[in-house]
Amino acid sequence: MSTPIKLDGMLVKVESSYGTDPTPSASTDSVRLSDRFWSSITVTPAFPNRRENTAPGTLLPIAPGLPRGWMVTGEIGVELRGAGAAYSASVLPDVAVLLRSCGLTQAIDTTGGSEFVTYTPASSSHSSCTIYGYANGLLYIITGVRANVRWPWTAGGLGMLRFSFQGFLAAAPTTVSLPAITYAAPVPPGAVAMSLTVGSWSPDVIGGEFDLGAVVQRNDSGNATDGIAEFAISEFHPKVKLSTKAVLVATANPHSDIRAATSRAINWTYGATQYNKALLVNTNAYYASIRNTEQNRFTGWDLESDLVDAVIKFT
């Protein structure tokens, strides 16, 4: 009998050795999903070994060889919220491990009363994580995970992040009851009073997205146990997309900026309560495209910018 699809959960933990399961705990390593784990993943062998060009003696195919390179790809949505308490080495946002697996380095400031934690793209020493995914009465253990993160939002909506990941399927899924998972208490803040600015312009924005643009590559090796050595991040292409009301050029002139390659800082704040606030901090964004749109019978713009720096900050 099928299991109700909402009976799912996810645990994540940083790996001290790449691809080695650190055994996440249901009491300390949870991330609350914002959509279903079951329908977010695909399990496939990197090397199906179908023997399609082998001479069969008939027009029908013959039995495949042993598949190799068992991997999981997927895109999971998780709630975006802070820890709800002063940040420290042991008190962090529940998305911290996933962000580190996107090639972001974590820095914690424990100045009393104004603690914060930041995540910044790093050129080396990228962390990886193990995911325990519970769905349909099964446990999927996915190791060596590296990912890209997107931060989409619409005005008034609750915060979420979307992670596109690749990793190893450690073994065939096993039958396991959904454990009693302990989740962080804060409710995700909404996209209101965001103080969003593009340079000195405060646009009337109906939605947007930050995309880290981490490129995850599968590195194969004949010396690896199952033919894949690692999933690794080769580069970043960070972008921001904004849907705004159009304004007079005296207020803001994206067309002039894109022609002159003028940089603008794009920053926003999600949430108003300390230890449940998330910020995008950027100092140099360059318009890449401008599309004229209609927004409820008013003129608007869809603006896309390339970033050369970006920090996700929790305060």
Side-chain angles (χ1 to χ4, degrees), residues 69-119:
W70 286 99
M71 56 183 285
V72 180
T73 60
E75 181 177 299
I76 49 177
V78 303
E79 291 191 326
L80 171 61
R81 70 271 184 82
Y87 293 110
S88 68
S90 59
V91 179
L92 294 165
D94 58 4
V95 296
V97 172
L98 289 171
L99 289 173
R100 290 176 61 186
S101 298
C102 294
L104 301 175
T105 185
Q106 175 180 279
I108 306 166
D109 189 307
T110 57
T111 302
S114 59
E115 298 87 351
F116 64 87
V117 56
T118 57
Y119 296 89

Side-chain angles (χ1 to χ4, degrees), residues 27-100:
S27 61
T28 58
D29 299 313
S30 66
V31 178
R32 194 184 286 275
L33 294 162
S34 61
D35 52 25
R36 305 284 59 83
F37 188 86
W38 177 258
S39 51
S40 297
I41 64 168
T42 299
V43 178
T44 184
F47 315 109
N49 294 327
R50 293 192 179 95
R51 301 169 72 197
E52 293 173 336
N53 293 321
T54 301
T58 74
L59 296 183
L60 296 171
I62 61 175
L66 190 66
R68 293 290 190 179
W70 286 99
M71 56 183 285
V72 180
T73 60
E75 181 177 299
I76 49 177
V78 303
E79 291 191 326
L80 171 61
R81 70 271 184 82
Y87 293 110
S88 68
S90 59
V91 179
L92 294 165
D94 58 4
V95 296
V97 172
L98 289 171
L99 289 173
R100 290 176 61 186

Side-chain angles (χ1 to χ4, degrees), residues 29-288:
D29 299 313
S30 66
V31 178
R32 194 184 286 275
L33 294 162
S34 61
D35 52 25
R36 305 284 59 83
F37 188 86
W38 177 258
S39 51
S40 297
I41 64 168
T42 299
V43 178
T44 184
F47 315 109
N49 294 327
R50 293 192 179 95
R51 301 169 72 197
E52 293 173 336
N53 293 321
T54 301
T58 74
L59 296 183
L60 296 171
I62 61 175
L66 190 66
R68 293 290 190 179
W70 286 99
M71 56 183 285
V72 180
T73 60
E75 181 177 299
I76 49 177
V78 303
E79 291 191 326
L80 171 61
R81 70 271 184 82
Y87 293 110
S88 68
S90 59
V91 179
L92 294 165
D94 58 4
V95 296
V97 172
L98 289 171
L99 289 173
R100 290 176 61 186
S101 298
C102 294
L104 301 175
T105 185
Q106 175 180 279
I108 306 166
D109 189 307
T110 57
T111 302
S114 59
E115 298 87 351
F116 64 87
V117 56
T118 57
Y119 296 89
T120 306
S123 295
S124 61
S125 302
H126 298 151
S127 297
S128 61
C129 74
T130 288
I131 293 175
Y132 278 24
Y134 296 88
N136 192 38
L138 300 172
L139 169 59
Y140 292 81
I141 298 178
I142 309 166
T143 60
V145 171
R146 291 205 169 103
N148 179 51
V149 62
R150 293 186 296 112
W151 179 353
W153 58 270
T154 55
L158 295 180
M160 68 173 298
L161 296 175
R162 301 200 66 84
F163 292 89
S164 302
F165 70 91
Q166 299 182 55
F168 301 101
L169 183 66
T174 55
T175 300
V176 175
S177 297
L178 179 66
I181 299 176
T182 301
Y183 290 106
V187 174
V192 297
M194 292 179 65
S195 302
L196 190 153
T197 55
V198 180
S200 60
W201 176 37
S202 297
D204 186 5
V205 184
I206 62 174
E209 178 180 280
F210 165 68
D211 184 346
L212 177 63
V215 179
V216 181
Q217 306 280 10
R218 190 189 83 207
N219 291 335
D220 300 338
S221 172
N223 284 331
T225 301
D226 210 29
I228 302 174
E230 183 183 15
F231 297 96
I233 295 171
S234 61
E235 54 195 319
F236 301 99
H237 298 286
K239 296 180 181 296
V240 163
K241 297 178 181 179
L242 298 173
S243 293
T244 80
K245 292 290 190 295
V247 296
L248 298 176
V249 294
T251 301
N253 192 341
H255 290 282
S256 175
D257 284 351
I258 195 172
R259 290 173 68 88
T262 301
S263 69
R264 305 287 182 186
I266 299 178
N267 299 291
W268 66 59
T269 300
Y270 221 88
T273 303
Q274 188 176 24
Y275 309 130
N276 195 24
K277 296 166 63 176
L279 292 72
L280 177 72
V281 181
N282 162 262
T283 58
N284 289 283
Y286 297 84
Y287 286 121

